[in-house]
Amino acid sequence: MSRKLNVALLNSGHFHAGMFLNIVPNLGHKITAISCEDKKKLEEQAKAFEARPYADYKELLEDKSDIDFAICCGVHAEAADMLDMLVEKGIPFCTEKPITDNIDRMRRIVKNARNRQLFSDVVLPLRFSPIILAFEEFRKKNHTGEIAHCYFRNMAGSIDRYRKWGCAWMLEKARALGGPFMNEGAHYIDLFRYLTGEEIKSVQAGMNNGIYHESIDDNFSAILETHSGKRAVIEICYGYPTNNNWRDLAVVINTENYLFVLIDQENPRAFKLEAKSRKDCSSEIIDLRACEQNVYEVYVKEMFKRFLSGKDGIIPVSNFLGTQIALANAYISAEGNRKVSCRDFGEKDLLEMHSEIAGWLLNNQVMDSKSKYFGSIYYPTEKRYCNRDTACLASCFMRQYVNTSDNKWLERADLARKNVLSVQLENGGYPELRNLEQSDDGSAVNTSIVADNLIKAYQAGLAYDQKDVSALSRMADFELCLEWEPGAFYHDTEHLGIPRYKDRTWGKEGSKIDCHNTTALSAMMLQKIYYFLKENDCPVKQAWLDAASRAIKHLPAVLNEAKHWPYMNDCKWIDVNHHGMTMYYLLKAARYAPHCHDQNLKTAILESGRWLTEKGLLHTEKGSKPDWAIQQSACIYFSWGYFVMGAPLACLGNLDPANRRYWHNEAIELMRYVKTSLWNNPKCDDEGPMKVSEGGLTKGFAFFGQSLGWCAYQLDELINEINFRFH
């Protein structure tokens, strides 16, 4: 290697950074620039290596004129941001692991690096360890047969070492993303993939923090399985009592014809690998001292050699993707206490689903300018026009307009807006339908969802005028009339007095039915209208906020002992769909001050989320689905339910960042079931790209069967909450 590289080291405070500071100059290269948050350490290192010091890696990368290569040693939660910037700047790099626990974020990094044909490497030096080199050499000379099973154990030292090294962030779950498996699991997942040549199909894992009781796990066990059935058991722990960096290791590799076991490990200088034949029970002892070397130095030397010769990295980010997927899913499995498929489903699929729904809605918008329904959505199966879903069209089409800059979406969104404004009742509300006829004089459900989606459309750039302002104000005033006791909002006007239908027998005094989901909807919409109008210098009423506050106070009080919000108070039956609705709109309502600071409210919402994922859903190979067997609701079997449960679960990832990946995975798994089992609908022309119902039903009491506009609205929210990118 005749060329001398100018190398930048990002985050030299990382516990592995010292190795790179020693190795790189020994290989004849120059440490040109260093970033570190620790001012004293940065000054010392910059002086020792005559390097430019930067407190922030972003500043370093902006001043990149003489940087040939970057070594990324990021805090785990920040590593993906570092790599995004490196790829954007076109700087070749190697990186520590892990990169991110967001699988779709990892896929974007891989895609962008590939598109730029950028050199990358993830430093996993155990491929060069004496154990693996000896095994591979033996395998070349002997008929070992296929690997069937591997066992790896790494019991590392105390967590106190990270504090001594100035890396206490390793004990913070939000920054480290996890404990020993997140830190070191990648080594052994990579070895299993490397040795077998196969990808991981599924993982089942468990963990606890019973040794040190920190926010991170301190011991972790995982069972990995490939598509052909090969299995690996990996156990990693912080907790080996030692005064140095020694650890307890175990390696077992089971092949068809041999058993390989690491022995004599109590003496770190006398490791041996025993190869025991299944044919005659004979053993061959391989002294690993013959392979002894500094594996990090070997790895980095080979990496630079490849870079300078124009070859790919040893483990480019594209190769590491399979390891990162298994690593992230191991934590999802441990947090959810169940087996998890290493699915190939995520951002791209969800965006395609949204686009297909938007296309169907576009084709089913009424375009006859002479019709009183001009601009409305029409649902062929139910022969129904829907004010609620027409408002959803406005926000859905604006999303497509922002994504594509195609004016047809903007024009269609405006048609939807005009239709919605034209059908508002005199009292300011929007009614629902029953038997294809107006069933009330305004409902909390339709009126709230109309308001939310119109405001979403305005915020996305749809023009509005005084008519819109007046309509929103009237919607908020209408909603107030449904508050029948402090903090409890009726479903619709029928509950206020004598209803239209004989099967409703509550009489002049009203139903006194405490409907939880409509109370949550009201809490959300009253605040959303208030703050949107106020931000745009339009008149607002304090009464709207006061009513919303009463609703937000009411809902945690009626959460039942099981932590379930049934359809109405004192209801004995279970309703997973409306539970999801209540969660979602309460979550949105709780984002406004002062409610966003209410810890009791947060606890109630999180407990309701756990009820949904642990009691209300079934987790299958195709994804997650509602447990319809426990459901007693007018909306049973409707595919719409997947979306009104998925959106709040995605929101919980931001309310509870420590368990973000758990909540986001739960949301994605619901969508995966929709795409796997309910998509590619043979009745697409009438129903849309997904089946209206799993049970073959096409309409119900509330006509939530064919509600693709609402589904698009909830899917849009889910995508944004998980921070996927529409562009």
Side-chain angles (χ1 to χ4, degrees):
M1 283 187 287
S2 57
R3 182 183 167 194
K4 181 178 180 179
L5 297 174
N6 290 323
V7 178
L9 179 61
L10 311 186
N11 188 18
S12 64
H14 188 281
F15 50 91
H16 278 174
M19 292 189 297
F20 293 108
L21 288 172
N22 289 327
I23 293 170
V24 171
N26 288 342
L27 294 175
H29 304 299
K30 165 71 174 168
I31 300 290
T32 302
I34 299 174
S35 75
C36 185
E37 294 178 356
D38 185 324
K39 183 178 180 181
K40 181 179 179 182
K41 183 178 290 186
L42 178 62
E43 291 175 351
E44 292 173 351
Q45 293 171 338
K47 182 178 180 180
F49 294 93
E50 298 180 345
R52 297 193 306 275
Y54 297 86
D56 189 337
Y57 75 88
K58 295 175 185 176
E59 295 178 10
L60 185 158
L61 294 180
E62 290 296 341
D63 183 19
K64 66 180 183 67
S65 57
D66 62 341
I67 297 175
D68 300 313
F69 196 92
I71 297 174
C72 176
C73 295
V75 170
H76 297 169
E78 301 168 5
D81 292 337
M82 285 187 173
L83 298 199
D84 279 339
M85 193 167 182
L86 286 166
V87 173
E88 180 187 345
K89 300 291 184 182
I91 301 173
F93 66 89
C94 71
T95 180
E96 275 288 328
K97 44 58 190 164
I99 293 175
T100 175
D101 61 349
N102 184 322
I103 295 169
D104 288 280
R105 181 88 184 270
M106 182 69 199
R107 287 194 178 102
R108 285 200 297 270
I109 291 169
V110 169
K111 178 182 177 181
N112 293 338
R114 183 184 291 126
N115 288 345
R116 297 204 61 157
Q117 297 182 320
L118 190 66
F119 180 95
S120 66
D121 211 323
V122 183
V123 182
L124 296 170
L126 291 192
R127 290 192 185 188
F128 294 92
S129 68
I131 302 165
I132 301 307
L133 293 177
F135 170 76
E136 290 194 292
E137 187 65 24
F138 188 93
R139 188 158 58 166
K140 288 178 184 177
K141 299 176 181 178
N142 300 274
H143 181 55
T144 61
E146 289 285 317
I147 292 175
H149 164 262
C150 294
Y151 173 72
F152 304 108
R153 184 181 73 240
N154 183 345
M155 187 176 291
S158 164
I159 61 172
D160 290 337
R161 58 197 170 126
Y162 293 113
R163 293 192 179 96
K164 293 176 182 177
W165 295 339
C167 299
W169 59 266
M170 281 289 289
L171 312 183
E172 302 171 26
K173 185 176 180 181
R175 303 188 75 195
L177 304 180
F181 199 79
M182 185 60 73
N183 180 24
E184 305 207 33
H187 288 295
Y188 301 100
I189 297 172
D190 175 70
L191 284 184
F192 184 52
R193 293 177 60 233
Y194 173 65
L195 294 174
T196 62
E198 297 185 18
E199 291 298 340
I200 312 301
K201 174 187 176 184
S202 64
V203 57
Q204 186 155 9
M207 64 180 179
N208 69 38
N209 63 345
I211 300 174
Y212 299 108
H213 308 288
E214 297 281 352
S215 65
I216 59 167
D217 53 288
D218 49 39
N219 65 91
F220 197 105
S221 302
I223 301 173
L224 284 65
E225 185 173 353
T226 70
H227 289 276
S228 71
K230 296 177 173 62
R231 291 163 73 87
V233 177
I234 304 173
E235 296 182 308
I236 303 183
C237 174
Y238 293 151
Y240 188 80
T242 179
N243 293 321
N244 51 40
N245 199 28
W246 183 235
R247 57 190 65 204
D248 173 64
L249 294 173
V251 176
V252 176
I253 302 174
N254 260 309
T255 72
E256 292 172 306
N257 300 323
Y258 283 87
L259 169 66
F260 296 85
V261 181
L262 183 66
I263 59 175
D264 287 349
Q265 60 167 301
E266 67 276 2
N267 182 352
R269 296 300 178 188
F271 272 4
K272 298 180 177 64
L273 185 66
E274 179 181 15
K276 196 170 185 67
S277 171
R278 301 190 190 283
K279 182 178 180 180
D280 57 13
C281 298
S282 61
S283 292
E284 181 174 336
I285 305 299
I286 305 168
D287 190 340
L288 299 179
R289 287 176 295 181
C291 309
E292 188 176 350
Q293 54 192 338
N294 183 325
V295 292
Y296 273 92
E297 185 168 349
V298 172
Y299 193 99
V300 174
K301 182 178 181 180
E302 176 62 21
M303 176 190 70
F304 280 136
K305 180 180 178 182
R306 288 177 177 234
F307 171 63
L308 290 168
S309 61
K311 296 179 181 179
D312 290 337
I314 304 167
I315 306 174
V317 289
S318 56
N319 181 278
F320 183 68
L321 176 61
T323 294
Q324 188 66 72
I325 288 173
L327 186 61
N329 278 300
Y331 272 89
I332 290 169
S333 172
E335 290 163 350
N337 194 30
R338 63 177 178 272
K339 185 176 181 179
V340 171
S341 297
C342 293
R343 51 177 165 75
D344 185 20
F345 181 89
E347 181 179 46
K348 179 175 179 288
D349 304 275
L350 294 175
L351 299 182
E352 288 176 353
M353 289 170 67
H354 188 276
S355 181
E356 286 186 53
I357 292 174
W360 188 91
L361 293 171
L362 187 78
N363 292 334
N364 285 273
Q365 186 180 28
V366 177
M367 293 303 294
D368 181 357
S369 60
K370 297 180 180 180
S371 170
K372 67 177 181 178
Y373 299 111
F374 183 39
S376 172
I377 184 63
Y378 175 68
Y379 288 131
T381 300
E382 297 174 356
K383 298 178 182 178
R384 176 171 61 94
Y385 304 90
C386 180
N387 54 61
R388 177 194 65 226
D389 281 34
T390 300
C392 295
L393 256 63
S395 66
C396 175
F397 291 172
M398 285 306 295
R399 169 66 67 191
Q400 293 297 319
Y401 172 66
V402 170
N403 295 345
T404 65
S405 299
D406 187 337
N407 280 326
K408 76 176 178 185
W409 294 108
L410 178 63
E411 293 165 1
R412 293 294 196 93
D414 192 51
L415 288 179
R417 162 190 163 264
K418 289 175 179 176
N419 176 268
V420 171
L421 296 180
S422 73
V423 298
Q424 187 178 24
L425 299 180
E426 286 296 322
N427 64 9
Y430 286 87
E432 292 189 11
L433 299 177
R434 187 182 189 194
N435 298 327
L436 308 184
E437 297 177 357
Q438 182 175 322
S439 69
D440 52 60
D441 291 318
S443 86
V445 176
N446 281 28
T447 308
S448 297
I449 292 174
V450 166
D452 196 16
N453 278 273
L454 286 179
I455 292 173
K456 276 172 63 74
Y458 305 149
Q459 291 172 333
L462 183 62
Y464 63 94
D465 55 29
Q466 187 56 42
K467 291 180 182 178
D468 303 76
V469 172
S470 175
L472 289 173
S473 182
R474 290 166 56 215
M475 287 182 225
D477 285 342
F478 165 78
E479 207 84 359
L480 294 182
C481 82
L482 296 178
E483 187 180 13
W484 64 277
E485 70 172 15
F489 287 74
Y490 276 146
H491 182 280
D492 56 65
T493 55
E494 290 289 279
H495 294 261
L496 290 169
I498 298 175
R500 301 181 181 205
Y501 298 95
K502 293 180 180 179
D503 60 342
R504 298 172 175 173
T505 58
W506 45 74
K508 293 182 180 180
E509 293 183 358
S511 70
K512 300 189 186 303
I513 292 177
D514 189 352
C515 183
H516 300 155
N517 68 87
T518 55
T519 296
L521 276 157
S522 300
M524 175 278 298
M525 76 91 86
L526 287 167
Q527 292 183 99
K528 186 150 190 176
I529 291 174
Y530 178 94
Y531 287 109
F532 175 76
L533 294 181
K534 185 177 182 181
E535 288 168 5
N536 290 278
D537 299 320
C538 301
V540 294
K541 296 179 181 180
Q542 182 63 35
W544 302 342
L545 287 188
D546 293 342
S549 294
R550 290 191 294 271
I552 293 170
K553 182 179 179 181
H554 177 72
L555 285 168
V558 295
L559 183 66
N560 68 22
E561 290 183 2
K563 307 307 177 185
H564 169 51
W565 274 298
Y567 182 79
M568 55 192 179
N569 205 26
D570 298 324
C571 184
K572 303 302 180 185
W573 42 271
I574 289 172
D575 188 336
V576 292
N577 295 332
H578 288 104
H579 177 85
M581 279 182 64
T582 305
M583 281 176 55
Y584 177 68
Y585 291 106
L586 182 56
L587 272 159
K588 293 190 73 173
R591 289 180 173 175
Y592 297 100
H595 315 296
C596 56
H597 306 297
D598 187 336
Q599 188 59 43
N600 291 332
L601 178 60
K602 176 180 177 180
T603 298
I605 295 172
L606 290 174
E607 288 176 339
S608 74
R610 286 288 179 177
W611 178 89
L612 179 58
T613 58
E614 295 174 6
K615 305 295 184 182
L617 300 181
L618 300 175
H619 307 284
T620 77
E621 285 292 319
K622 296 180 179 180
S624 297
K625 61 175 294 181
D627 186 355
W628 297 122
I630 65 172
Q631 169 109 338
Q632 298 176 37
S633 164
C635 303
I636 192 169
Y637 298 127
F638 287 129
S639 304
W640 155 89
Y642 287 85
F643 296 83
V644 297
M645 287 182 282
L649 291 174
C651 291
L652 287 177
N654 296 312
L655 181 69
D656 181 24
N659 294 297
R660 171 179 48 82
R661 59 179 162 243
Y662 170 79
W663 297 117
H664 286 178
N665 179 71
E666 293 289 341
I668 292 171
E669 282 294 280
L670 280 164
M671 295 301 100
R672 186 165 73 91
Y673 187 90
V674 172
K675 188 64 183 292
T676 302
S677 296
L678 304 176
W679 214 252
N680 299 321
N681 186 6
K683 298 179 181 178
C684 181
D685 289 347
D686 287 340
E687 294 184 356
M690 70 178 179
K691 296 176 182 177
V692 168
S693 162
E694 287 190 80
L697 307 177
T698 56
K699 64 181 181 180
F701 174 82
F703 288 83
F704 287 156
Q706 196 158 20
S707 291
L708 268 183
W710 194 341
C711 294
Y713 154 50
Q714 298 286 260
L715 181 56
D716 181 277
E717 299 279 294
L718 183 154
I719 290 168
N720 279 307
E721 289 292 333
I722 299 179
N723 199 28
F724 287 157
R725 300 178 182 178
F726 275 94
H727 293 286

